[in-house]
Amino acid sequence: MTVTIVGSQLGDEGKGGVVDLYGDAADVVARYQGGDNAGHTVVHDGEKYKLSLVPSGAVRGKVGVLGNGCVVNPRTLFDEISTLEEKGLSPDVRVAERAHVILPFHRVLDGIEEDVKSEDDQEVGTTGRGIGPTYEDKAGRRGVRVGDLLDPDVLRERLEYVVPQKRALVEDVYGVDVEDLEDPDAFDVDALFEEFHDFGERLAAEDMTVNASAFLTDAMADGQTVMFEGAQGTIIDIDHGNYPYVTSSNPTAGGAAVGTGLSPNVIAEGEIIGIVKAYLTRVGSGPLPTELGGVEGDTPGYDEQGDGENEELATYIREEGGEYGTVTGRPRRVGWLDMPMLRHSARVNGFTGLAVNHIDVLAGLDEVKVGHSYELDGEELEAMPPTTEEWGRCEATFRTFDGWEEVDWSAVAAEGYDAIPENARTYLEYISDELEAPIYAVGVGPGREETVVVENPTE
Ligand code: GDP
Ligand code: IMO
Ligand code: MG
């Protein structure tokens, strides 16, 4: 069977922790989109693992697959594998030959394009990992795929086609002299060929490349359990998110089929679990109707409005939840839970169950609010509208819940669902009712043992 883990909001919902929680019963953990823009945290035995590219199942010794829908930076991949090896793990990672390669010039272009957009306050606030430029080249049919690294003639031919175009883009369109860049070799065919041909040899020598579709189909035929680890979240999906403040891939459940080569029938026969953070965080720009406070450089209108009347509360939640980017260290924007966003997410993904994390972070507040619906031009909306301009004009209508007290959360996790403070259960049941999906797990702390497991999808 398959279990697909999907971020229901704006990323950083605690997907890594849930993959780790349920991953024990999985044989293979596969990523289906994104690249090293992801930052997934697994906390086990007091050790914190931060994973960008290696699937989170590595912490439990599972086979990890980077599917064809991923964009892979081999520098990051091998660095991350080494870091995990230093911690005593032996990650077994397979990379789809159809996955696209992030080349050094993609990162340079990501940075230049964000700089240019920032002149008109249009920047997305990307992670700077070259994700967008790599997916652009994939769609433009000029990308380099992992399989191309294994064939020197093909690799050279591809680089000779694409690199002069990128050099011209940087020099003639953006007016930047390549020789003035920190890494001028990023635009040098010979230097790129040498480095990436070596990566190809290493991937081949370590038998790391696969046809993901065939590999996963065989695993399923063998009766193995495959877990799909979504990265990012539904509201930064390139199709279903708040374009253009999105990433360039499909974190939504449909991406699991396209991004691995398994049939949608296979994904649909399994479980699709929506990971919900009990409040909201956002890294980067774009609207956020339930935002509390704001973050300079990311919150639209921050210059005129400042950090907002609820800044104290936002700071409290940010500090309690450690809401700083796993990849970039940037402070995350914070808001109340947004139901119109989640109803949209539930429709797009078809969640069969929910894992609601960070219930502990809200403990101790007198009251907890939720944006229950929106008001737009005098009309009430139950789900977020399709254009970002409309979404930016939506005013949230709030519902208020009584807060819950701080308790010994490890003891609660050990005892089970009924030990969760009553007011927190009322909050959880509201979320479950609105999204018409049962609660499978409740996160009450970052560790593997700090989760209340209601249902195990693999059993
Ligand atoms: P991901 O990108 O969705 O995997 O999430 P991140 O790892 O970027 O961010 C989630 C952060 O919250 C990490 O530091 C986790 O260790 C932590 N975390 C996950 N679940 C919980 C929870 O239920 N409570 C608390 N306090 N922290 C959690
Ligand atoms: P995980 O998997 C939160 C955001 C960036 C930016 C936008 C585009 O840890 O949940 P990109 O570099 O992808 O082109 O940036 O998407 N973003 C994330 N936000 N969690 C993530 O991943 C993210 N990956 C990208 O901040 O706004
Ligand atoms: Mg993250």
Side-chain angles (χ1 to χ4, degrees):
M1 74 168 301
T2 65
V3 179
T4 304
I5 303 294
V6 179
S8 66
Q9 296 151 322
L10 292 142
D12 303 329
E13 300 92 346
K15 298 175 292 293
V18 177
V19 170
D20 180 56
L21 175 73
Y22 289 138
D24 201 20
D27 301 285
V28 180
V29 178
R31 286 266 310 265
Y32 53 88
Q33 44 71 235
D36 56 342
N37 49 347
H40 295 180
T41 317
V42 174
V43 180
H44 177 51
D45 274 350
E47 179 85 69
K48 194 171 188 175
Y49 301 90
K50 291 184 175 186
L51 301 145
S52 285
L53 207 46
V54 173
S56 300
V59 178
R60 287 187 184 260
K62 307 297 171 180
V63 176
V65 174
L66 297 174
N68 53 276
C70 294
V71 285
V72 180
N73 184 331
R75 288 180 179 172
T76 317
L77 178 63
F78 287 119
D79 281 354
E80 199 163 287
I81 291 175
S82 303
T83 306
L84 293 172
E85 282 171 348
E86 281 161 22
K87 293 192 172 191
L89 300 176
S90 323
D92 178 356
V93 183
R94 315 297 174 94
V95 189
E97 290 190 19
R98 286 186 163 92
H100 279 250
V101 178
I102 300 183
L103 292 159
F105 57 75
H106 290 123
R107 275 200 184 200
V108 176
L109 283 165
D110 197 350
I112 294 177
E113 284 167 16
E114 284 280 283
D115 282 349
V116 172
K117 284 184 177 170
S118 74
E119 286 165 17
D120 302 310
D121 268 346
Q122 304 267 322
E123 75 273 25
V124 177
T126 71
T127 60
R129 298 298 191 264
I131 305 295
T134 307
Y135 279 114
E136 274 177 53
D137 281 350
K138 171 179 176 175
R141 294 161 295 194
R142 65 181 94 82
V144 173
R145 304 204 297 178
V146 168
D148 301 337
L149 303 182
L150 308 182
D151 184 329
D153 294 338
V154 173
L155 176 60
R156 184 167 278 283
E157 196 181 10
R158 295 249 186 272
L159 291 173
E160 279 174 357
Y161 178 75
V162 73
V163 174
Q165 289 188 11
K166 299 300 169 186
R167 186 179 271 269
L169 179 61
V170 166
E171 298 201 323
D172 303 343
V173 176
Y174 294 121
V176 174
D177 189 340
V178 163
E179 300 312 317
D180 292 341
L181 292 169
E182 214 174 286
D183 179 17
D185 279 357
F187 294 83
D188 183 290
V189 172
D190 289 333
L192 290 171
F193 176 80
E194 199 176 318
E195 182 180 1
F196 284 78
H197 177 240
D198 280 355
F199 282 134
E201 293 207 316
R202 182 162 174 195
L203 287 166
E206 296 180 24
D207 205 14
M208 287 174 71
T209 61
V210 290
N211 176 338
S213 171
F215 184 85
L216 294 171
T217 302
D218 288 351
M220 299 282 299
D222 233 23
Q224 296 187 12
T225 297
V226 177
M227 184 163 285
F228 294 109
E229 177 175 0
Q232 289 78 53
T234 300
I235 310 305
I236 50 176
D237 179 289
I238 191 161
D239 285 281
H240 304 291
N242 70 124
Y243 192 90
Y245 302 106
V246 292
T247 191
S248 300
S249 68
N250 290 119
T252 42
V258 179
T260 61
L262 283 186
S263 160
N265 291 326
V266 175
I267 313 292
E269 274 167 16
E271 298 256 13
I272 299 173
I273 303 182
I275 315 305
V276 180
K277 187 178 270 188
Y279 47 95
L280 216 50
T281 56
R282 172 162 211 164
V283 191
S285 194
L288 203 58
T290 60
E291 184 162 18
L292 289 160
V295 170
E296 192 171 6
D298 283 342
T299 302
Y302 183 93
D303 291 345
E304 299 94 67
Q305 292 155 23
D307 47 17
E309 57 184 293
N310 291 310
E311 176 54 20
E312 213 174 299
L313 191 49
T315 305
Y316 173 81
I317 296 174
R318 185 178 302 119
E319 296 307 320
E320 287 292 304
E323 297 296 356
Y324 293 87
T326 310
V327 174
T328 55
R330 288 148 72 190
R332 295 173 178 155
R333 296 162 64 191
V334 173
W336 292 123
L337 196 71
D338 183 323
M339 271 301 161
M341 175 192 285
L342 284 174
R343 289 189 198 99
H344 166 71
S345 187
R347 171 159 36 73
V348 169
N349 292 295
F351 297 134
T352 58
L354 303 172
V356 183
N357 285 324
H358 298 88
I359 282 290
D360 56 304
V361 174
L362 297 179
L365 296 176
D366 290 338
E367 50 184 37
V368 173
K369 292 190 185 183
V370 174
H372 175 77
S373 58
Y374 294 150
E375 199 185 304
L376 176 66
D377 302 332
E379 258 188 73
E380 191 185 355
L381 297 187
E382 289 270 305
M384 65 186 282
T387 76
T388 297
E389 289 65 32
E390 284 175 309
W391 193 41
R393 289 194 288 114
C394 285
E395 299 266 352
T397 306
F398 288 96
R399 274 200 189 175
T400 304
F401 290 77
D402 289 334
W404 48 90
E405 65 279 15
E406 189 62 71
V407 293
D408 177 347
W409 292 105
S410 298
V412 166
E415 274 177 62
Y417 187 81
D418 291 338
I420 296 174
E422 189 183 350
N423 290 347
R425 276 186 279 131
T426 304
Y427 186 71
L428 291 165
E429 281 145 31
Y430 161 79
I431 297 171
S432 172
D433 287 348
E434 290 295 324
L435 303 186
E436 297 177 19
I439 304 276
Y440 277 10
V442 183
V444 295
R448 188 183 284 178
E449 284 76 33
E450 291 162 310
T451 312
V452 178
V453 182
V454 182
E455 193 79 48
N456 189 334
T458 57
E459 281 168 4

PDB file of all heavy atoms in Angstrom, residues 125-137:
ATOM      1  N   GLY A 125      10.682  35.626  -2.361  1.00  0.00           N
ATOM      2  CA  GLY A 125      11.345  35.212  -1.120  1.00  0.00           C
ATOM      3  C   GLY A 125      11.732  33.747  -1.223  1.00  0.00           C
ATOM      4  O   GLY A 125      11.483  32.968  -0.311  1.00  0.00           O
ATOM      5  N   THR A 126      12.324  33.356  -2.350  1.00  0.00           N
ATOM      6  CA  THR A 126      12.665  31.935  -2.548  1.00  0.00           C
ATOM      7  C   THR A 126      13.770  31.510  -1.583  1.00  0.00           C
ATOM      8  O   THR A 126      14.399  32.349  -0.935  1.00  0.00           O
ATOM      9  CB  THR A 126      13.175  31.647  -3.981  1.00  0.00           C
ATOM     10  OG1 THR A 126      14.486  32.218  -4.117  1.00  0.00           O
ATOM     11  CG2 THR A 126      12.254  32.220  -5.039  1.00  0.00           C
ATOM     12  N   THR A 127      14.004  30.220  -1.550  1.00  0.00           N
ATOM     13  CA  THR A 127      15.085  29.703  -0.711  1.00  0.00           C
ATOM     14  C   THR A 127      16.447  29.877  -1.393  1.00  0.00           C
ATOM     15  O   THR A 127      17.464  29.519  -0.814  1.00  0.00           O
ATOM     16  CB  THR A 127      14.865  28.203  -0.422  1.00  0.00           C
ATOM     17  OG1 THR A 127      14.838  27.505  -1.675  1.00  0.00           O
ATOM     18  CG2 THR A 127      13.559  27.958   0.313  1.00  0.00           C
ATOM     19  N   GLY A 128      16.455  30.352  -2.635  1.00  0.00           N
ATOM     20  CA  GLY A 128      17.710  30.599  -3.331  1.00  0.00           C
ATOM     21  C   GLY A 128      18.407  29.328  -3.797  1.00  0.00           C
ATOM     22  O   GLY A 128      19.600  29.347  -4.129  1.00  0.00           O
ATOM     23  N   ARG A 129      17.697  28.226  -3.827  1.00  0.00           N
ATOM     24  CA  ARG A 129      18.330  26.951  -4.162  1.00  0.00           C
ATOM     25  C   ARG A 129      18.298  26.635  -5.665  1.00  0.00           C
ATOM     26  O   ARG A 129      18.688  25.543  -6.078  1.00  0.00           O
ATOM     27  CB  ARG A 129      17.671  25.801  -3.392  1.00  0.00           C
ATOM     28  CG  ARG A 129      17.789  25.920  -1.880  1.00  0.00           C
ATOM     29  CD  ARG A 129      19.260  25.897  -1.453  1.00  0.00           C
ATOM     30  NE  ARG A 129      19.406  25.753  -0.015  1.00  0.00           N
ATOM     31  CZ  ARG A 129      19.585  26.757   0.843  1.00  0.00           C
ATOM     32  NH1 ARG A 129      19.615  27.993   0.405  1.00  0.00           N
ATOM     33  NH2 ARG A 129      19.735  26.531   2.131  1.00  0.00           N
ATOM     34  N   GLY A 130      17.754  27.550  -6.461  1.00  0.00           N
ATOM     35  CA  GLY A 130      17.737  27.312  -7.913  1.00  0.00           C
ATOM     36  C   GLY A 130      16.555  26.462  -8.368  1.00  0.00           C
ATOM     37  O   GLY A 130      16.561  25.921  -9.486  1.00  0.00           O
ATOM     38  N   ILE A 131      15.552  26.351  -7.518  1.00  0.00           N
ATOM     39  CA  ILE A 131      14.420  25.474  -7.807  1.00  0.00           C
ATOM     40  C   ILE A 131      13.645  25.960  -9.041  1.00  0.00           C
ATOM     41  O   ILE A 131      13.427  25.200  -9.996  1.00  0.00           O
ATOM     42  CB  ILE A 131      13.474  25.403  -6.580  1.00  0.00           C
ATOM     43  CG1 ILE A 131      14.232  24.985  -5.317  1.00  0.00           C
ATOM     44  CG2 ILE A 131      12.259  24.522  -6.858  1.00  0.00           C
ATOM     45  CD1 ILE A 131      14.819  23.605  -5.303  1.00  0.00           C
ATOM     46  N   GLY A 132      13.222  27.225  -9.016  1.00  0.00           N
ATOM     47  CA  GLY A 132      12.423  27.770 -10.121  1.00  0.00           C
ATOM     48  C   GLY A 132      13.168  27.680 -11.450  1.00  0.00           C
ATOM     49  O   GLY A 132      12.638  27.136 -12.429  1.00  0.00           O
ATOM     50  N   PRO A 133      14.410  28.193 -11.526  1.00  0.00           N
ATOM     51  CA  PRO A 133      15.139  28.121 -12.803  1.00  0.00           C
ATOM     52  C   PRO A 133      15.318  26.684 -13.320  1.00  0.00           C
ATOM     53  O   PRO A 133      15.323  26.451 -14.529  1.00  0.00           O
ATOM     54  CB  PRO A 133      16.490  28.772 -12.467  1.00  0.00           C
ATOM     55  CG  PRO A 133      16.140  29.761 -11.384  1.00  0.00           C
ATOM     56  CD  PRO A 133      15.090  29.063 -10.549  1.00  0.00           C
ATOM     57  N   THR A 134      15.436  25.702 -12.429  1.00  0.00           N
ATOM     58  CA  THR A 134      15.605  24.310 -12.890  1.00  0.00           C
ATOM     59  C   THR A 134      14.289  23.787 -13.480  1.00  0.00           C
ATOM     60  O   THR A 134      14.290  23.143 -14.539  1.00  0.00           O
ATOM     61  CB  THR A 134      16.080  23.409 -11.728  1.00  0.00           C
ATOM     62  OG1 THR A 134      17.226  23.999 -11.149  1.00  0.00           O
ATOM     63  CG2 THR A 134      16.419  22.006 -12.212  1.00  0.00           C
ATOM     64  N   TYR A 135      13.173  24.052 -12.799  1.00  0.00           N
ATOM     65  CA  TYR A 135      11.876  23.621 -13.355  1.00  0.00           C
ATOM     66  C   TYR A 135      11.564  24.381 -14.656  1.00  0.00           C
ATOM     67  O   TYR A 135      10.903  23.836 -15.544  1.00  0.00           O
ATOM     68  CB  TYR A 135      10.755  23.795 -12.337  1.00  0.00           C
ATOM     69  CG  TYR A 135      10.661  22.673 -11.317  1.00  0.00           C
ATOM     70  CD1 TYR A 135      10.912  22.904  -9.975  1.00  0.00           C
ATOM     71  CD2 TYR A 135      10.321  21.369 -11.692  1.00  0.00           C
ATOM     72  CE1 TYR A 135      10.821  21.884  -9.030  1.00  0.00           C
ATOM     73  CE2 TYR A 135      10.223  20.344 -10.765  1.00  0.00           C
ATOM     74  CZ  TYR A 135      10.474  20.600  -9.435  1.00  0.00           C
ATOM     75  OH  TYR A 135      10.379  19.579  -8.510  1.00  0.00           O
ATOM     76  N   GLU A 136      12.029  25.634 -14.753  1.00  0.00           N
ATOM     77  CA  GLU A 136      11.834  26.370 -16.021  1.00  0.00           C
ATOM     78  C   GLU A 136      12.528  25.635 -17.159  1.00  0.00           C
ATOM     79  O   GLU A 136      11.978  25.487 -18.248  1.00  0.00           O
ATOM     80  CB  GLU A 136      12.488  27.754 -15.943  1.00  0.00           C
ATOM     81  CG  GLU A 136      11.659  28.828 -15.348  1.00  0.00           C
ATOM     82  CD  GLU A 136      12.476  30.119 -15.287  1.00  0.00           C
ATOM     83  OE1 GLU A 136      13.031  30.548 -16.319  1.00  0.00           O
ATOM     84  OE2 GLU A 136      12.575  30.687 -14.188  1.00  0.00           O
ATOM     85  N   ASP A 137      13.744  25.187 -16.903  1.00  0.00           N
ATOM     86  CA  ASP A 137      14.487  24.482 -17.953  1.00  0.00           C
ATOM     87  C   ASP A 137      13.860  23.132 -18.267  1.00  0.00           C
ATOM     88  O   ASP A 137      13.875  22.680 -19.414  1.00  0.00           O
ATOM     89  CB  ASP A 137      15.964  24.323 -17.557  1.00  0.00           C
ATOM     90  CG  ASP A 137      16.747  25.612 -17.792  1.00  0.00           C
ATOM     91  OD1 ASP A 137      16.199  26.535 -18.424  1.00  0.00           O
ATOM     92  OD2 ASP A 137      17.907  25.696 -17.336  1.00  0.00           O
TER      93      ASP A 137
END
